[in-house]
Amino acid sequence: MTPDMSQRTIWEEGRESGRHVVALGSATSLTVTFVDLLIDDQIGLLFDLTFVAIALTLALIVRPSDFFVVGVLPPLIMLGIFILLAATQPGSIADAEDGFVQAVVSGLGHHAISLFIGYALCLGCLVMRRRVLRQRSETRDEVERERALAS
């Protein structure tokens, strides 16, 4: 049983530009960071879980021509947030007495698991989307060749 060619899968749905995805990912991550800091004075599990979800969502909504942008985005988002926090509230990601660089490194170290999982899911999703789009394109080409031969 072959799938209907007109039916699009989740892997083919993404149509947002890279610029929009960067803005959405950054704004959403900053909002979650703010909310997490309101709940507790430290970045915690809420940030980690939503970071993973954001990284995966960005990979699903971006258009294929902007895969590279999303492919490098998750670590940059986390680094940017931790740079902001290290400059303003180092105690939220490290010891309050830590210097700027040490706070950034500590923050990245404490949240390395969520960074790894989010980034791996993001890249895996992009690979899957690329594969599905390539297969769909090859199937369309075969159908067109068969139609041309039949006529």
Side-chain angles (χ1 to χ4, degrees):
M1 186 172 193
T2 59
D4 181 12
M5 288 295 293
S6 63
Q7 221 175 7
R8 289 174 36 174
T9 64
I10 190 171
W11 309 112
E12 299 167 289
E13 289 295 321
R15 296 289 175 243
E16 292 297 322
S17 71
R19 182 175 292 161
H20 289 135
V21 171
V22 169
L24 177 65
S26 300
T28 306
S29 297
L30 286 169
T31 302
V32 168
T33 302
F34 178 72
V35 169
D36 201 7
L37 288 174
L38 285 177
I39 294 170
D40 189 14
D41 289 339
Q42 297 226 337
I43 298 298
L45 188 60
L46 175 65
F47 175 83
D48 290 338
L49 294 175
T50 54
F51 179 82
V52 170
I54 290 167
L56 182 59
T57 302
L58 297 178
L60 286 170
I61 66 171
V62 71
R63 65 182 173 207
S65 62
D66 291 331
F67 277 2
F68 177 78
V69 172
V70 172
V72 299
L73 189 59
L76 295 176
I77 287 176
M78 186 176 280
L79 178 63
I81 287 172
F82 288 172
I83 286 172
L84 288 172
L85 290 173
T88 59
Q89 294 180 316
S92 65
I93 55 173
D95 289 335
E97 299 83 31
D98 285 350
F100 176 78
V101 174
Q102 181 61 41
V104 172
V105 171
S106 292
L108 290 172
H110 290 136
H111 299 277
I113 292 174
S114 65
L115 176 60
F116 175 78
I117 292 170
Y119 199 33
L121 287 173
C122 176
L123 293 177
C125 179
L126 293 174
V127 167
M128 182 61 81
R129 287 189 63 199
R130 175 74 68 198
R131 181 177 295 160
V132 167
L133 291 169
R134 186 179 307 127
Q135 287 174 347
R136 184 65 70 124
S137 175
E138 289 171 359
T139 303
R140 263 188 237 121
D141 292 345
E142 288 176 21
V143 168
E144 289 175 13
R145 274 192 294 261
E146 289 176 8
R147 286 184 185 156
L149 291 173
S151 45

